[in-house]
């Protein structure tokens, strides 16, 4: 979708710091990081939200990519958090499904 910010990042039309990539996914540095490591992990294909993802295969592959990104970023030992926002209460702002991968500091719980 050419009016989607994350599709445009995946296509290389908008610059981003790429932290991990495979055939179907890309992880890039969040422009407003909430932790020392804050990556946005997306499928290159466009799905608007978690609830638009068509099947378990797409969900699973995205989660696997997020785990691979965590390993690639050296978060295995210290730990990390994956967050997917949905809807008004969840606070999703960019309508291209994504996981936030956060690490590099002790993360508080519950989230705000
Ligand atoms: P969400 O609220 O879950 O939709 O999160 C969207 C995230 O995308 C926010 O953490 C933003 O900081 C991040 N973001 C917005 N624009 C960009 C951009 N151009 N490059 C990287 N991250 C971005
Ligand atoms: Zn998109």
């Amino acid at each position: 979708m050419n009016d989607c910010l994350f599709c445009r990042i995946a296509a290389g039309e908008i610059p981003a710091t790429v932290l991990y990539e495979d055939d179907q996914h890309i992880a890039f540095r969040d422009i407003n990081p909430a932790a020392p490591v804050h990556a946005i992990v997306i499928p290159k294909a466009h799905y608007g939200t978690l609830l638009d993802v068509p099947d378990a295969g797409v969900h699973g592959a995205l989660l696997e990519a997020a785990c691979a990104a965590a390993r690639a970023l050296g978060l295995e030992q210290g730990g990390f958090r994956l967050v997917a926002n949905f809807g008004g209460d969840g606070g999703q702002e960019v309508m291209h499904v994504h996981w936030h991968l956060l690490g590099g500091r002790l993360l508080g719980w519950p989230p705000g």
Side-chain angles (χ1 to χ4, degrees):
M1 282 185 40
N2 56 9
D3 60 343
C4 169
L5 174 65
F6 287 177
C7 281
R8 295 190 69 195
I9 288 176
E13 294 168 14
I14 291 177
T17 302
V18 176
L19 300 173
Y20 172 84
E21 186 168 10
D22 66 32
D23 283 356
Q24 306 293 328
H25 309 90
I26 190 166
F28 52 89
R29 188 176 174 278
D30 195 293
I31 204 168
N32 184 23
V37 179
H38 186 172
I40 299 288
V41 188
I42 65 167
K44 292 179 181 175
H46 180 87
Y47 307 103
T49 75
L50 268 184
L51 301 191
D52 296 316
V53 171
D55 57 51
V58 175
H59 271 306
L62 178 57
L63 195 49
E64 217 164 53
C67 291
R71 286 197 191 91
L73 291 167
L75 297 175
E76 210 169 344
Q77 190 160 2
F80 60 89
R81 183 172 296 164
L82 288 171
V83 175
N85 297 321
F86 177 89
D89 285 353
Q92 183 176 2
E93 290 180 353
V94 178
M95 294 299 147
H96 180 127
V97 68
H98 53 280
W99 286 94
H100 294 253
L101 169 61
L102 299 150
R105 67 167 172 85
L106 182 61
L107 298 161
W109 189 264

